[in-house]
Amino acid sequence: MFELRKKWPILGRHQQAADWLQVWQDLGRAPRTIDAYARGLAEYLELCERESVDPARATRAHIALYVRELGSRPSHRGVNVVALDSGAGLSSATLQQRLVSVRLFYDFLVEEGLRQDNPVGRGRYIAGPRGGGRQRGLVRRLEKLPWIPSDEQWRAVLTVAAAEPVRTRLMLALVYDAALRREELCSLRTDDLDPGRRLVRVRAETTKSRRERVVPYSATTGVLLSQYLMHRGMVSRARGGLFLSESRRNFAEPLSLWTWSKVVRRIAVAAAVERFSTHTTRHLCLTDLARMGWEVHAIATFAGHRHTDSTMRYIHLSGRDLAERFTRGMEHIHAQRVALLSAGAEDSGRPR
């Protein structure tokens, strides 16, 4: 909690906010989740102080003011932003994330008896004279197709990666083969691998859904793994993290998420495919499985999703893929109809 207050001093001036975040910490939520909650709430509390309003007595009008401010705020990344979908600088997903923090904070105040209601709207099912419907939340939720590279862009990335150290090449191969998230990849341990059967175990505590899964990897990745394990032995022979840092400052320590992100970013820039990120390979793998005809439930199991709805958001069939499927389907239907017409012509030529 001290680190959060040091990062956002405003949390130290609002005891209720500090108490709420402490509850989440005590419940064992991931540090990155706590950090995201703290950031969203700190920004809202700053608005409350500027408006001279007690957060416990804020109204829906103050929430609306916060939403307007978020919607017009320029991105802190400036020229490094690759794509914007909010029209201002913060994406729809970021706006939703900020509001979740505030919504959960007010849920806490209601449960503690400090408020009668939650001023942050929720999209929820409501009944009406013409049937049921879904009430809109404060921010319209936009769901965009995930970006995946074209074949040419993917080859450009691989060409640059081919000159990278074996650790980087193995990480790229493994993250694609097994559709791993960044946290899952960097958290792999030496005992999570089964080289004999070419399987990797993704431990529950490292996954977003807290569900363990075992997934295969290719023979090519197996060769890279053998090469890397020989190299790793020169860095450290101790069991533990699979991917180790070789920098002077963190030598033989597990590779951090941020270091891996920097490596991928450097490769993306060198390949002139700047939209390529640590999550792109996961999107590409799941989409490729769909292209190969895998059932959506099998893909969901492979990806570690609890629901197929999540899987469908990850699968991105391009216009070309859909056009090819449409053409194949239409050819089949066309053939059937022509056959029926031919049969009809034959029947019409028979004496009656």
Side-chain angles (χ1 to χ4, degrees), residues 200-263:
V200 58
R201 177 173 66 102
V202 186
R203 286 169 286 117
E205 60 269 23
T206 69
T207 67
K208 187 176 180 179
S209 61
R210 294 298 184 260
R211 301 179 70 181
E212 184 173 298
R213 67 186 191 276
V214 177
V215 290
Y217 56 86
S218 66
T220 303
T221 301
V223 173
L224 287 172
L225 175 61
S226 298
Q227 296 174 0
Y228 173 69
L229 289 178
M230 293 179 60
H231 175 77
R232 184 188 181 280
M234 295 185 289
V235 178
S236 173
R237 294 187 177 276
R239 291 180 177 272
L242 175 62
F243 299 111
L244 302 180
S245 171
E246 298 181 35
S247 69
R248 293 181 180 179
R249 185 174 58 180
N250 300 311
F251 190 78
E253 294 293 324
L255 196 71
S256 70
L257 304 179
W258 320 119
T259 299
W260 175 236
S261 294
K262 291 178 182 178
V263 170

Side-chain angles (χ1 to χ4, degrees), residues 172 259-269 276-278:
L172 276 175
T259 299
W260 175 236
S261 294
K262 291 178 182 178
V263 170
V264 172
R265 178 62 180 168
R266 175 170 50 78
I267 293 173
V269 171
F276 191 90
S277 71
T278 56

Side-chain angles (χ1 to χ4, degrees), residues 54-242:
D54 180 359
R57 293 177 172 79
T59 66
R60 195 174 180 86
H62 296 103
I63 302 297
L65 183 62
Y66 179 55
V67 171
R68 187 178 70 179
E69 179 183 297
L70 290 176
S72 60
R73 179 182 301 174
S75 172
H76 70 282
R77 297 181 181 179
V79 296
N80 292 325
V81 174
V82 177
L84 303 176
D85 58 18
S86 68
L90 294 183
S91 68
S92 174
T94 301
L95 296 177
Q96 296 287 346
Q97 184 186 63
R98 296 288 194 275
L99 283 177
V100 164
S101 304
V102 181
R103 181 185 298 126
L104 293 177
F105 172 63
Y106 278 112
D107 280 344
F108 170 75
L109 295 185
V110 171
E111 291 172 0
E112 293 295 308
L114 300 175
R115 278 189 68 102
Q116 294 295 320
D117 62 343
N118 189 329
V120 184
R122 274 186 170 87
R124 61 183 183 274
Y125 184 84
I126 56 174
R130 297 183 180 180
R134 185 168 293 277
Q135 183 180 13
R136 276 188 55 182
L138 292 178
V139 177
R140 186 177 182 181
R141 187 178 295 275
L142 304 177
E143 294 189 7
K144 299 175 62 180
L145 286 174
W147 177 84
I148 60 172
S150 65
D151 292 342
E152 292 76 14
Q153 291 171 324
W154 180 232
R155 281 194 293 268
V157 170
L158 294 180
T159 299
V160 173
E164 291 287 319
V166 65
R167 184 193 68 190
T168 299
R169 286 183 281 132
L170 171 61
M171 292 179 76
L172 276 175
L174 195 57
V175 78
Y176 169 74
D177 274 354
L180 299 178
R181 300 179 179 91
R182 181 181 61 166
E183 293 84 352
E184 295 169 348
L185 175 71
C186 294
S187 299
L188 286 177
R189 297 173 57 86
T190 52
D191 55 357
D192 290 332
L193 298 167
D194 183 352
R197 293 186 290 175
R198 295 207 303 271
L199 296 174
V200 58
R201 177 173 66 102
V202 186
R203 286 169 286 117
E205 60 269 23
T206 69
T207 67
K208 187 176 180 179
S209 61
R210 294 298 184 260
R211 301 179 70 181
E212 184 173 298
R213 67 186 191 276
V214 177
V215 290
Y217 56 86
S218 66
T220 303
T221 301
V223 173
L224 287 172
L225 175 61
S226 298
Q227 296 174 0
Y228 173 69
L229 289 178
M230 293 179 60
H231 175 77
R232 184 188 181 280
M234 295 185 289
V235 178
S236 173
R237 294 187 177 276
R239 291 180 177 272
L242 175 62

